[in-house]
């Protein structure tokens, strides 16, 4: 099978990994030596972050080149022990050319709680991310981790790692990074909305359908399915607008009937009474 992918050069890939490393560190998506980043530069070549190095202070000479089986092809340092997770994404989804793993606080809070982001709350969340499921808990750095994420690599754009962090991927390094940034922003927005108002309103299924069409027109075929609202927004009294109208019509009908019955009773009363 011919490989028609357009890859970054080794120089470009290493430069971009260091840039994204500075961004995730500056935003607080990682602490100390947490997280890892990789970019595919050929059918069987990946540049990745090394183990034991802060993502905010990397230089290109620190990075490691490996093949799809994890064999080191270039570089003086050892690859991250979590490189297996990245390699599994590449093997499961040939359209992926970059992977980002981090521990952003809001998204990780959902991961620790075991709660996926599977409800349609905002257009940005639907279009940029879609459904973000929670992969089963797996011991870090073991084969359990790539096995836990394998079912999600083809149909989704991101996954929460139970009690651990988040993983995003994309057709290029910027898409993979922006998905991580969007994931954290979305997770924080949901947390704040629930904390401040104690309620979050889903988009309607009709609205969700329109957003998915937009997403597909952007060339994004992944994202999974989200839950949506099948009825109209509720009123403060707990009724939907449709229910409120029906109730008002019912009351009007009752009043009309009562008035007509009263009129008929009065008409039939003997004169003088």
């Amino acid at each position: 099978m011919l490989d028609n992918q357009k890859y970054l050069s080794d120089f470009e890939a290493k430069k971009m990994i260091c840039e994204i490393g500075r961004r995730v560190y500056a935003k607080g998506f990682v602490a100390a030596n947490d997280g890892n980043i990789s970019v595919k530069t050929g059918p069987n070549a990946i540049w990745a972050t090394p183990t034991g190095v802060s993502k905010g202070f990397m230089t290109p000479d620190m990075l490691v080149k490996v093949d799809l089986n994890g064999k080191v092809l270039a570089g003086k340092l050892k690859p991250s022990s979590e490189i297996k997770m990245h390699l599994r994404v590449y093997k499961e989804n040939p359209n992926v050319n970059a992977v980002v793993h981090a521990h952003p606080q809001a998204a990780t809070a959902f991961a620790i709680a075991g709660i996926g982001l599977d409800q349609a709350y905002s257009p940005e969340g639907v279009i940029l991310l879609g459904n973000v499921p929670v992969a089963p808990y797996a011991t870090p750095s073991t084969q359990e981790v790539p096995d836990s994420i394998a079912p999600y690599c083809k149909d989704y754009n991101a996954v929460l790692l139970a009690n651990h962090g988040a993983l995003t991927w994309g057709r290029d390094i910027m898409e993979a990074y922006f998905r991580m940034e969007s994931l954290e922003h979305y997770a924080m927005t949901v947390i704040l909305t629930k904390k401040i108002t104690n309620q979050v309103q889903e988009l309607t299924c009709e609205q969700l359908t329109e957003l998915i069409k937009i997403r597909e027109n952007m060339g994004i075929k992944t994202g999974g399915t989200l839950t949506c609202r099948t009825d109209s927004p509720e009123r403060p009294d707990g009724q939907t607008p449709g229910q409120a109208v029906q109730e008002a019509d019912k009351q009007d009908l009752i009043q009309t009937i009562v008035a007509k019955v009263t009129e008929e009773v009065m008409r039939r009363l003997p004169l003088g009474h």
Side-chain angles (χ1 to χ4, degrees):
M1 183 175 65
L2 295 176
D3 187 347
N4 296 317
Q5 293 275 17
K6 292 183 178 180
Y7 301 107
L8 294 179
S9 68
D10 287 352
F11 175 81
E12 293 171 325
K14 291 191 286 184
K15 179 181 177 181
M16 288 304 299
I17 289 174
C18 291
E19 171 62 24
I20 298 307
R22 284 190 288 271
R23 293 192 188 193
V24 296
Y25 185 80
K27 284 184 170 291
F29 292 176
V30 293
N33 300 331
D34 292 347
N36 27 80
I37 306 162
S38 68
V39 173
K40 196 174 182 182
T41 56
N44 193 31
I46 295 100
W47 279 98
T49 51
T51 187
V53 173
S54 170
K55 304 307 164 295
F57 301 93
M58 292 187 301
T59 54
D61 60 295
M62 295 178 180
L63 305 184
V64 185
K65 190 176 187 178
V66 300
D67 64 16
L68 283 174
N69 293 317
K71 179 183 177 181
V72 175
L73 303 176
K76 299 177 181 179
L77 301 179
K78 294 181 179 180
S80 166
S81 59
E82 293 184 326
I83 189 66
K84 305 182 193 73
M85 181 167 55
H86 295 241
L87 298 179
R88 189 57 171 270
V89 177
Y90 293 123
K91 289 179 180 179
E92 295 289 339
N93 191 339
N95 293 317
V96 171
N97 284 321
V99 178
V100 176
H101 169 52
H103 303 160
Q105 290 179 302
T108 300
F110 277 92
I112 291 174
I115 300 173
L117 294 166
D118 60 355
Q119 294 173 288
Y121 289 141
S122 75
E124 295 78 14
V126 172
I127 294 172
L128 299 177
L129 290 171
N131 185 348
V132 183
V134 181
Y137 177 77
T139 304
S141 305
T142 69
Q143 186 59 37
E144 294 176 10
V145 178
D147 289 346
S148 72
I149 66 166
Y152 309 103
C153 298
K154 289 183 180 179
D155 299 323
Y156 298 86
N157 301 315
V159 66
L160 297 175
L161 307 171
N163 300 87
H164 187 176
L167 186 73
T168 58
W169 49 86
R171 293 164 293 185
D172 56 55
I173 183 63
M174 290 309 299
E175 184 172 61
Y177 166 70
F178 281 145
R179 283 174 174 169
M180 181 64 70
E181 195 174 79
S182 296
L183 173 59
E184 177 63 1
H185 187 270
Y186 186 49
M188 179 59 74
T189 300
V190 173
I191 289 174
L192 290 175
T193 303
K194 289 185 176 181
K195 182 69 174 178
I196 295 171
T197 67
N198 197 33
Q199 62 182 9
V200 183
Q201 182 171 280
E202 283 185 307
L203 296 171
T204 66
C205 291
E206 182 179 355
Q207 292 167 333
L208 175 59
T209 299
E210 290 300 316
L211 292 171
I212 290 177
K213 288 179 181 178
I214 294 174
R215 186 172 75 186
E216 291 176 346
N217 288 337
M218 294 172 63
I220 303 173
K221 306 300 182 182
T222 51
T225 58
L226 298 102
T227 64
C228 53
R229 199 177 68 245
T230 57
D231 58 2
S232 301
E234 289 191 355
R235 291 154 44 99
D237 57 10
Q239 296 179 327
T240 66
Q243 290 172 329
V245 170
Q246 291 176 0
E247 183 64 26
D249 290 344
K250 180 180 177 182
Q251 293 300 324
D252 288 343
L253 179 59
I254 292 173
Q255 290 179 9
T256 300
I257 293 173
V258 170
K260 287 186 175 295
V261 170
T262 302
E263 180 182 352
E264 182 63 21
V265 170
M266 294 299 294
R267 188 181 67 79
R268 295 187 180 188
L269 285 175
L271 293 177
H273 287 266

